[in-house]
Amino acid sequence: MNLTGNRATSVVGASGPHRPRRPLKKSLLALAIASVAISAQAQQSVIEEVTVTAQKREQNMQDVSVAVSAFSGDAIDRMGFEEGLDITQQVPNMSFFAIFGEASSPSVSLRGISLVNFSDSWESPVSIYVDDVYRGNPAGSAIQLFDLERVEVLRGPQGTIYGRNTTGGLVHYVSRKPTETFEGKFSASLGNYGESIAQGAVSGPLVDGVRGRLAVKRTKNDGWQTNPVDGRKLNETDSMGYRGQLEFDVGRTGMFLLNVHGSEADQASVGFSHMGYLDPDDLSQTCSVSRIQNGECSSNTFGFTGAEAVNGQYDPEHVATGASEGLNTTIDTFGVSGRYTMDLSDDITFTSVTAYEELDKFLQDDGDGTEVVWFDEQYAVDAEQYTQELRLNGSGLDSNWVTGLYLYKDDRGLITQAPTTADAGVFGGYFHEEYVSLKSESWALFGQYEYDLTPQLTGIFGARYTEEERDFSQRSPVSFYTPRVEGTGDLSESALTGRIGLDWRPREGTLVYANISTGFKSGGFSGSYNASEAALAPVTSEDAINYEVGLKTAWADGRFRLNASAYRYDIEDYQAQVFLTVETGSVITNAGDVTGVGAELEFTARVTDNFELIAGLGLLDTEFSSSQVFNVAGDTYTLDGNELPSAPSTNTNLVARYYIGLGDAGELALQADYTWQGDHFLQIENDPYSQQDAYGLGNAKVSWHSMTGDYVVEAFVRNLADKEYYTYQNTLGSDWGYGVWGMPRTYGAKFSWNM
């Protein structure tokens, strides 16, 4: 290591830091400066050893025989990700979108499997966990994803040791914990669209045996969309998230962690872009898809084009709404959890995680995206969730094991109304209302055993038995539909899922594995726009089996690392929502069976002491086997042979960082990152209106780090090329629909101080 910025960073699989030769004679002052410089520079690398708990115990990520990607909180900060969901850009075969904006429920897609349903009555096949606690309704969770220790992404069915069985995978966010010594950090950033973000955390000992940590984040912006009808801003944001933790030593081997957290969001919903489907010069003819998505086409329903709806300004920054008081969203969350651990012996540890989560959500949108009050609607959710996990972890000379009990209770009240509150008076009240009550209870017993058959070969067996019960009711004082749809229902299901695997370690730093795993996602009920009594009937569970082989290896003293996996999954009775039209409502259905085949590559490299790369590649082919047929915009579509929505056949990601040493003035870090995904559909019907062409998003960042690493100043640009693309599309009528734009170019500067 020299004082011009050459790096000496320990990486996964390395036997120790790589240090070039340097002169022996140094003055004491130069040695002191050198040691500080090394400390500062080593802190900026994003290639590092990450400890994960994917198997419910601490392991090096490279030693875990499942497809897991992980980022430390420090790496997330250095790469400029403002919230935990941003990591989706750098994980193969992963994406996410939020239909109604930042505070709404995020929909995560892993290997093409995602929540094909906008209703808050459903749980996702890709689960969100925060600090060991499952979030059954993750609305508002994005606001709390700060001050993180790490993020883990597990791909494939999780039907063994995690609390809620899933068919697609899970994302686990782990926050930083209270520390033995005092530490503090603060950052503030300013950006275009009037954005300001301030966050900070303090941590340290309070009294003997008690430690605390408090973290807060506040985000405000003016919104990046304008309503040309009245000039009012849309999707403006004013949100705050907080987390307070107290950690207590209990006896000789016990520890109790109290975690109190929550968020508040008061914002305007994201606007929808109106799309007509008919040629304005001949309304008997359907437009080409490119013209439809460019706002050039009209409809018999509204009689004007998408571009005319926004006075000719058809782009991501201009969307229309006729709601007289704009589109409002408020989301309040609160949660508390208690995590108790105790060593029962040198080899056995007991863990209890008890948690309560509550959510109050009110959201308005304008489904037609015009100044006409036609399909302006609002949703409200009041949800409470209780979870309890009891777990024993143990190890022997040749084995590791875990077993436990999981309990889950979820009560939700949902309201759907049209039009919005502000405009209901114009029509003498609401012309559509649905009040839904949904109560869910579940319990599960689980266990996993790992045994070393030889020093190089390990066998893994795990199983989980789950029982689920759901009770549903709906009443509709007024309705679009005749007769009004009201009724009750219940559903009871059980499943036995698990995993069989074999790990082979031919040499130090290399793992080859093979797994067969199964997953289960229980059935449920539709929570919105039920046009007939048949729509109130429950769908049954979807069941998945996944076959996977993988390789994790490192070479050149850990400077290079390659993780690869290939898989095939089969899902029976895939659950999906198809929104037919406003007049005919939506259908929740077991849409058929799905087969997915794919591969993933993740590569990291310290090319030189000053240059490092993170790269990923995801390949995916999905196909429906189904006899179901649906009518969309007057056309008939069969699901048979379709691909899953938001499941591009190819996606790539890249992060490149170059470091320039400035001697005792610190260091510059230059970063470029890029993500690209191929053509894909945004709806399960694979109708042409929902086809999104391939696109790539590039970002750039330059940051200055002080010699001690205490101060960081950075400037950033996201969506550098100002790419226009859609994250969601839906058809609501026989000749019209809407699209949801992705964010345009944003830029800003950030200052960070570590105390």
Side-chain angles (χ1 to χ4, degrees):
M1 174 70 69
N2 58 42
L3 299 185
T4 62
N6 290 336
R7 315 184 60 73
T9 306
S10 298
V11 296
V12 176
S15 58
H18 171 73
R19 302 183 187 277
R21 298 175 63 112
R22 59 184 183 176
L24 296 176
K25 294 184 178 180
K26 296 278 187 179
S27 68
L28 293 177
L29 177 60
L31 284 172
I33 294 175
S35 64
V36 174
I38 292 171
S39 174
Q41 293 162 4
Q43 292 177 13
Q44 309 318 319
S45 175
V46 296
I47 299 177
E48 56 190 356
E49 182 173 343
V50 181
T51 298
V52 299
T53 54
Q55 304 286 347
K56 297 290 187 178
R57 71 177 191 275
E58 291 189 352
Q59 293 175 279
N60 186 312
M61 183 181 71
Q62 292 300 101
D63 201 40
V64 179
S65 56
V66 295
V68 55
S69 300
F71 298 87
S72 73
D74 290 335
I76 290 172
D77 291 341
R78 293 167 200 152
M79 287 190 288
F81 297 161
E82 192 53 54
E83 60 180 39
L85 286 169
D86 290 340
I87 66 161
T88 59
Q89 301 173 22
Q90 298 302 326
V91 177
N93 284 332
M94 184 179 188
S95 64
F96 115 94
F97 63 90
I99 299 175
F100 301 112
E102 179 188 66
S104 68
S105 298
S107 180
V108 176
S109 174
L110 283 175
R111 295 178 172 176
I113 302 172
S114 64
L115 180 64
V116 188
N117 191 329
F118 64 81
S119 172
D120 283 290
S121 64
W122 283 82
E123 297 175 63
S124 173
V126 178
S127 294
I128 301 280
Y129 286 78
V130 183
D131 292 328
D132 277 332
V133 177
Y134 169 71
R135 298 290 179 92
N137 188 326
S141 295
I143 304 170
Q144 300 177 32
L145 303 182
F146 59 93
D147 193 37
L148 296 174
E149 178 182 305
R150 68 182 182 276
V151 181
E152 304 174 16
V153 180
L154 279 65
R155 299 184 289 276
Q158 303 301 313
T160 306
I161 57 179
Y162 275 87
R164 294 294 287 165
N165 278 305
T166 59
T167 52
L170 66 87
V171 187
H172 187 191
Y173 298 93
V174 182
S175 63
R176 289 187 172 104
K177 300 300 184 291
T179 52
E180 295 281 358
T181 58
F182 174 80
E183 67 176 41
K185 56 189 302 184
F186 170 80
S187 69
S189 66
L190 297 174
N192 59 332
Y193 302 110
E195 182 167 80
S196 62
I197 302 175
Q199 59 181 309
V202 291
S203 178
L206 300 177
V207 296
D208 188 32
V210 181
R211 299 160 293 281
R213 188 177 191 96
L214 176 65
V216 180
K217 180 178 181 180
R218 178 73 180 270
T219 300
K220 299 186 70 174
N221 63 56
D222 297 334
W224 50 271
Q225 291 180 321
T226 300
N227 179 12
V229 175
D230 57 13
R232 183 178 298 174
K233 283 287 190 179
L234 294 174
N235 64 43
E236 60 185 338
T237 299
D238 185 354
S239 66
M240 183 186 73
Y242 61 89
R243 183 186 306 112
Q245 299 180 84
L246 289 174
E247 188 177 65
F248 303 84
D249 293 333
V250 181
R252 188 173 60 86
T253 64
M255 188 273 289
F256 179 75
L257 178 66
L258 177 66
N259 183 321
V260 179
H261 50 269
S263 62
E264 298 177 357
D266 185 359
Q267 66 183 66
S269 306
V270 67
F272 293 170
S273 177
H274 181 74
M275 293 179 178
Y277 291 172
L278 306 181
D279 189 329
D281 297 324
D282 184 357
L283 293 177
S284 67
Q285 299 295 316
T286 301
C287 277
S288 67
V289 174
S290 61
R291 292 187 66 199
I292 290 172
Q293 295 185 347
N294 287 332
E296 300 175 18
C297 304
S298 185
S299 67
N300 287 312
T301 305
F302 292 94
F304 49 77
T305 68
E308 290 170 340
V310 288
N311 299 332
Q313 299 172 292
Y314 199 83
D315 58 49
E317 296 181 87
H318 297 90
V319 289
T321 177
S324 61
E325 294 185 8
L327 301 175
N328 299 313
T329 295
T330 58
I331 298 183
D332 295 330
T333 69
F334 173 79
V336 58
S337 66
R339 188 178 193 273
Y340 175 68
T341 60
M342 181 178 64
D343 293 334
L344 301 180
S345 69
D346 291 341
D347 302 321
I348 300 176
T349 300
F350 169 76
T351 302
S352 169
V353 181
T354 307
Y356 168 78
E357 300 287 334
E358 66 179 30
L359 163 73
D360 289 301
K361 170 181 170 181
F362 177 77
L363 183 149
Q364 297 177 324
D365 74 69
D366 189 336
D368 54 88
T370 73
E371 62 180 318
V372 181
V373 179
W374 199 91
F375 193 52
D376 300 14
E377 57 183 347
Q378 61 192 29
Y379 303 92
V381 182
D382 181 7
E384 293 184 338
Q385 173 191 301
Y386 308 84
T387 57
Q388 173 66 62
E389 181 169 338
L390 301 173
R391 189 169 72 239
L392 287 174
N393 286 75
S395 62
L397 184 62
D398 299 313
S399 64
N400 287 283
W401 56 268
V402 58
T403 186
L405 168 69
Y406 183 80
L407 306 175
Y408 174 78
K409 186 176 187 298
D410 188 313
D411 295 337
R412 304 186 192 187
L414 297 86
I415 303 173
T416 302
Q417 296 169 315
T420 63
T421 301
D423 296 303
V426 177
F427 300 91
Y430 299 107
F431 47 75
H432 183 76
E433 290 186 282
E434 292 173 320
Y435 294 85
V436 168
S437 173
L438 180 64
K439 299 181 183 297
S440 305
E441 292 187 4
S442 174
W443 66 269
L445 289 171
F446 62 90
Q448 181 167 290
Y449 184 72
E450 303 176 34
Y451 182 74
D452 295 336
L453 303 172
T454 73
Q456 290 80 35
L457 203 62
T458 301
I460 301 171
F461 174 78
R464 184 184 198 92
Y465 178 75
T466 305
E467 288 195 1
E468 304 260 357
E469 290 188 2
R470 299 187 190 271
D471 292 311
F472 170 89
S473 67
Q474 174 178 311
R475 61 183 181 88
S476 298
V478 294
S479 179
F480 288 141
Y481 315 118
T482 303
R484 292 181 292 114
V485 180
E486 297 185 317
T488 61
D490 60 75
L491 178 67
S492 297
E493 294 181 303
S494 62
L496 179 63
T497 55
R499 172 190 173 201
I500 297 175
L502 196 63
D503 298 353
W504 179 45
R505 295 173 173 81
R507 66 175 181 87
E508 184 178 356
T510 296
L511 167 65
V512 180
Y513 64 88
N515 288 318
I516 301 175
S517 57
T518 60
F520 155 83
K521 181 178 179 293
S522 62
F525 297 84
S526 172
S528 293
Y529 296 108
N530 296 314
S532 66
E533 288 190 9
L536 297 183
V539 298
T540 57
S541 66
E542 67 178 37
D543 301 279
I545 184 169
N546 184 75
Y547 309 90
E548 185 162 338
V549 294
L551 166 71
K552 297 185 177 185
T553 188
W555 65 95
D557 290 331
R559 293 178 69 94
F560 302 96
R561 184 177 72 199
L562 175 67
N563 293 350
S565 61
Y567 59 88
R568 174 197 167 104
Y569 62 75
D570 295 290
I571 300 178
E572 293 184 359
D573 297 326
Y574 187 82
Q575 299 169 356
Q577 176 189 56
V578 179
F579 196 99
L580 303 176
T581 65
V582 174
E583 292 83 3
T584 53
S586 65
V587 175
I588 305 293
T589 179
N590 292 112
D593 300 336
V594 178
T595 298
V597 179
E600 294 151 351
L601 294 174
E602 295 178 283
F603 177 70
T604 63
R606 282 182 54 227
V607 182
T608 71
D609 288 340
N610 294 76
F611 182 48
E612 58 190 23
L613 290 172
I614 298 176
L617 170 67
L619 303 174
L620 177 65
D621 179 68
T622 61
E623 184 175 356
F624 262 100
S625 174
S626 174
S627 60
Q628 296 197 28
V629 177
F630 296 96
N631 187 286
V632 179
D635 297 319
T636 299
Y637 296 92
T638 177
L639 295 185
D640 194 55
N642 281 7
E643 64 183 54
L644 289 174
S646 300
S649 60
T650 306
N651 69 83
T652 61
N653 57 272
L654 177 70
V655 177
R657 287 172 64 87
Y658 185 76
Y659 305 94
I660 302 174
L662 304 176
D664 58 4
E667 181 182 54
L668 286 178
L670 310 179
Q671 175 179 303
D673 60 271
Y674 184 77
T675 181
W676 181 89
Q677 51 185 318
D679 298 347
H680 57 279
F681 291 96
L682 298 172
Q683 287 294 335
I684 193 172
E685 307 95 307
N686 286 190
D687 60 280
Y689 319 113
S690 71
Q691 185 170 10
Q692 171 62 54
D693 292 338
Y695 66 92
L697 300 176
N699 311 309
K701 184 168 76 76
V702 57
S703 56
W704 170 82
H705 305 260
S706 67
M707 180 184 294
T708 61
D710 291 341
Y711 303 98
V712 180
V713 179
E714 59 189 75
F716 58 86
V717 182
R718 302 189 181 102
N719 192 359
L720 186 63
D722 203 19
K723 179 67 179 178
E724 295 183 359
Y725 61 99
Y726 291 103
T727 64
Y728 188 74
Q729 187 279 338
N730 202 3
T731 294
L732 294 184
S734 61
D735 53 8
W736 66 278
Y738 70 85
V740 180
W741 292 104
M743 289 187 66
R745 179 192 297 125
T746 58
Y747 53 83
K750 182 178 180 179
F751 168 76
S752 302
W753 174 35
N754 295 316
M755 292 177 261

